[in-house]
Amino acid sequence: MLMLNCDSSGLPYYRDPSGSLNYKSSLPTQHRLPGPCTCPDGFTVLKDQIPKDQYEELMQRRAKEFQQYKARTNSILSKLLFALPNSPLQYPIQGVIVRPLTATAIPGMLSSTYASVTNVLTKLIIESSSLLVLNDLLAKVSYTSTIYHINTGDLGMCQKFHLFLKLFSVYFCLLDISSQVTIITKTFLRYKQLRVLLDSIRKFYSDIKVIIADDSLQPESVNGENIQHYIMPPAQGWFAGRNLAVSQVTTKYFLWVDDDFLFSEKTKIEKFVEVMEAVPELDVVGGSVQGNRFYFSILYEEGDENEGGCLYRKSGGKFHRLPGYPQCHLASGVVNFFLARTDAMQRVRFDPKLQRVAHSEFFMDGLGSLMVASCGDVIIDHQPKTQENRNPTYNKFRHPERSEGKFKLQLHFFKNHLKCIRYG
């Protein structure tokens, strides 16, 4: 417990262990409270990617689209409500949005007519005979969540903030995996690898349905029991293929794999399903490719409404462990080998404007609405690259041109309303 008092002049002090008055360290060190984000070194400023002759018109459309988006998505529950100061403390009871694990200023902690504030977690009591000093302290109160979660709410109460967590034991009967999961993949000019993948799937899962989205230049026939092969217009791209495949899934979950992966005895889809059934808040759970877990965190800071926010995609970034599953951590995104809830992924949708390299963009679009975990004990192999399975035409399409990278940054500026971005 920290006791702060004020002398007759209104200056705060505390008594050290000897009983002497101490003015030098009377107040806790204040961290910088969040404000409009800046773009430090290493970030790409997105407005610089816009042609100058299009900038003004695009900014007007961007602002209009952003206001329309807020009008469509804002709920009455997001409206900021305050308890009036005759409570006797004015404080927010609804509508404050915070970023997980990040300090957030609490608006409205002002106009107190009472001389005590208690936080149930730190047992902090502030006492003062000066209302001016007390209100100055309350204006600097901030809140930091200690658990990474996208759908929790704290209840604001006079003098206290409570975090209510209820733990339930979850029991489920594991149905046949084929009735719960569909395997989906996108292929382009890699039929040799695709057939090797299909053979490996059938070795371990003889009845599971496989959906293939194919935008090859000259499609070949791919036949087999419980295989659905959808032919697309040529070279439509990775995300367009994912959208097509996901749109045809009728099971609760789907497993995404690349067309050059290889199932082994360690590719246990049942383990993924067990995690998802036990933690129903999860939308995506990723695994390991040959022992490598490709997960990342996305750190977002609010910016000025006209300029947009700042986003940092941190490779290898993760949050705390998933309770009950020591091999799993929460993250913001995973890459290319994951089990997902079909309805959750259909809500976010893969942006078909992004044709080639777009590992992170789907999870950027789903930030705040998708709960993601990565588990290291479900492993899939990768087929070796050999001269036999190399395709020169495929390689021409595989790597994006410079103009595509610039277009992706412009898309982040307009669609995601970002000021700057950094990939780490």
Side-chain angles (χ1 to χ4, degrees), residues 8 21 47 64 70 75 77 95 158 171 177 199 203 205 222 233 244 256 267 293 310 324 331 339 357 378 384:
S8 57
L21 296 184
K47 69 178 182 180
K64 179 181 177 181
K70 290 198 300 182
S75 163
L77 297 178
C158 185
Y171 302 93
I177 199 69
D199 288 343
K203 182 178 179 180
Y205 298 97
V222 180
L244 172 59
W256 172 267
T267 314
R293 293 166 63 187
C310 305
L339 186 82
V357 177
V378 182

Side-chain angles (χ1 to χ4, degrees), residues 216 300 389 399 409:
S216 298
Y300 175 78
N389 62 25
H399 301 289
L409 295 176

Side-chain angles (χ1 to χ4, degrees), residues 138-198:
L138 292 176
K140 295 179 174 64
V141 173
S142 65
Y143 169 84
T144 304
S145 66
T146 59
I147 297 176
Y148 177 83
H149 204 295
I150 61 172
N151 286 316
T152 57
D154 289 355
L155 176 63
M157 299 176 63
C158 185
Q159 296 184 295
K160 296 182 181 180
F161 289 94
H162 289 286
L163 177 63
F164 293 98
L165 296 177
K166 293 182 179 180
L167 303 179
F168 297 92
S169 297
V170 179
Y171 302 93
F172 64 94
C173 177
L174 185 60
L175 304 173
D176 175 64
I177 199 69
S178 300
S179 67
Q180 295 180 292
V181 179
T182 300
I183 297 175
I184 68 173
T185 190
K186 156 76 174 56
T187 195
F188 177 72
L189 302 178
R190 296 206 295 193
Y191 290 106
K192 291 180 180 179
Q193 293 93 325
L194 176 63
R195 292 188 173 97
V196 171
L197 168 67
L198 293 174

Side-chain angles (χ1 to χ4, degrees), residues 32-83:
R32 182 180 63 86
L33 293 176
C37 70
T38 60
C39 297
D41 292 342
F43 278 71
T44 300
V45 179
L46 299 179
K47 69 178 182 180
D48 296 343
Q49 308 298 314
I50 308 300
K52 292 183 179 179
D53 60 338
Q54 302 176 20
Y55 182 77
E56 290 299 330
E57 186 270 340
L58 188 138
M59 282 296 291
Q60 292 177 12
R61 285 198 294 119
R62 180 180 185 247
K64 179 181 177 181
E65 290 286 343
F66 184 57
Q67 294 302 322
Q68 291 178 341
Y69 168 79
K70 290 198 300 182
R72 291 195 311 272
T73 58
N74 280 356
S75 163
I76 189 64
L77 297 178
S78 65
K79 183 178 181 180
L80 194 57
L81 299 179
F82 293 95

Side-chain angles (χ1 to χ4, degrees), residues 100-250:
L101 311 179
T102 304
T104 302
I106 301 179
M109 292 290 283
L110 305 169
S111 304
S112 173
T113 58
Y114 189 58
S116 177
V117 178
T118 304
N119 185 296
V120 71
L121 296 180
T122 59
K123 200 63 177 178
L124 176 65
I125 298 176
I126 303 174
E127 293 185 352
S128 173
S129 59
S130 169
L131 187 60
L132 182 65
V133 172
L134 182 59
N135 280 339
D136 182 62
L137 291 172
L138 292 176
K140 295 179 174 64
V141 173
S142 65
Y143 169 84
T144 304
S145 66
T146 59
I147 297 176
Y148 177 83
H149 204 295
I150 61 172
N151 286 316
T152 57
D154 289 355
L155 176 63
M157 299 176 63
C158 185
Q159 296 184 295
K160 296 182 181 180
F161 289 94
H162 289 286
L163 177 63
F164 293 98
L165 296 177
K166 293 182 179 180
L167 303 179
F168 297 92
S169 297
V170 179
Y171 302 93
F172 64 94
C173 177
L174 185 60
L175 304 173
D176 175 64
I177 199 69
S178 300
S179 67
Q180 295 180 292
V181 179
T182 300
I183 297 175
I184 68 173
T185 190
K186 156 76 174 56
T187 195
F188 177 72
L189 302 178
R190 296 206 295 193
Y191 290 106
K192 291 180 180 179
Q193 293 93 325
L194 176 63
R195 292 188 173 97
V196 171
L197 168 67
L198 293 174
D199 288 343
S200 72
I201 292 173
R202 288 294 174 246
K203 182 178 179 180
F204 298 98
Y205 298 97
S206 58
D207 299 325
I208 200 166
K209 182 189 290 185
V210 182
I211 294 177
I212 303 162
D214 183 354
D215 64 343
S216 298
L217 304 180
Q218 295 179 328
E220 298 179 11
S221 177
V222 180
N223 299 315
E225 190 74 20
N226 284 326
I227 291 178
Q228 295 180 356
H229 183 205
Y230 292 93
I231 305 298
M232 305 168 59
Q236 290 300 293
W238 196 40
F239 271 13
R242 276 193 175 183
N243 280 335
L244 172 59
V246 173
S247 73
Q248 299 306 305
V249 174
T250 58

